[in-house]
Amino acid sequence: MPQRAAAVHQAVSGTSRLITLRFLLENPGATRTHLVEETGLTPSTARVTLRELETLGYIVADIEGENRNGRSVRYSARRDVLTDDLTAFVAWMLR
């Protein structure tokens, strides 16, 4: 499986990651607090999930990693990257 196809498979194979991606696609610029309030994810699950999705490249934060302490970070989904990788995954599946 190509690397980016594997990454998107990982992103959408977990319920919390899938919920988070869908929420951020509909609510760009949302904070972790907003995500928790609207989806029912626990704060710790949201924190881990956001970190995973950011590492995979599917979301971006408006504040860089080391500068986040005590600040309200806003997250947005990278629709273009997600679309490209989902297309690669489907192409790999249907080849």
Side-chain angles (χ1 to χ4, degrees):
M1 179 182 302
Q3 180 181 2
R4 294 311 304 169
V8 80
H9 177 263
Q10 180 183 350
V12 300
S13 66
T15 303
S16 62
R17 289 185 298 272
L18 192 57
I19 288 169
T20 299
L21 278 170
R22 185 69 192 146
F23 179 79
L24 292 176
L25 286 165
E26 294 175 347
N27 300 279
T31 64
R32 185 173 67 198
T33 301
H34 189 203
L35 173 67
V36 168
E37 290 172 351
E38 295 296 320
T39 64
L41 294 174
T42 66
S44 61
T45 298
R47 183 180 68 249
V48 169
T49 300
L50 289 166
R51 186 179 325 122
E52 290 171 343
L53 291 172
E54 191 172 8
T55 299
L56 289 169
Y58 296 119
I59 65 171
V60 293
D62 67 343
I63 301 173
E64 293 298 321
E66 294 179 16
N67 300 321
R68 294 181 185 178
N69 288 340
R71 300 183 69 187
S72 182
V73 180
R74 298 189 175 279
Y75 297 90
S76 296
R78 297 182 63 200
R79 185 179 295 269
D80 57 336
V81 175
L82 185 59
T83 299
D84 288 348
D85 289 359
L86 283 168
T87 301
F89 178 74
V90 170
W92 177 80
M93 286 291 299
L94 299 178
R95 65 181 175 143

